[in-house]
Amino acid sequence: MILATGIIVLLVGIISFLTSYGDTNFGGIVQQVTAVIVILGGIVNLLVAAHLKKEMEMSKKEE
């Protein structure tokens, strides 16, 4: 579930960035910065999901 959330957040950030790409007014720049923050959040979410998956697999092997 957390993996799907990370993918969706990443895609939303990319789409948001591309829709405001090239805007040089204040609103466009703010939207681009916000999109980059959302993209970074999606990447962190994917990294956490990968780490949790490894931890769950290791705990299953120990049992």
Side-chain angles (χ1 to χ4, degrees), residues 8-57:
I8 291 170
V9 169
L10 189 62
L11 289 175
V12 167
I14 291 171
I15 291 169
S16 177
F17 182 80
L18 292 176
T19 57
S20 65
Y21 186 75
D23 288 344
T24 55
N25 59 4
F26 181 75
I29 293 171
V30 169
Q31 187 174 355
Q32 289 174 5
V33 170
T34 305
V36 169
I37 293 170
V38 170
I39 289 170
L40 292 175
I43 291 170
V44 169
N45 200 333
L46 291 174
L47 292 173
V48 168
H51 181 71
L52 284 175
K53 184 177 178 183
K54 284 182 185 178
E55 290 290 326
M56 290 172 64
E57 288 175 356

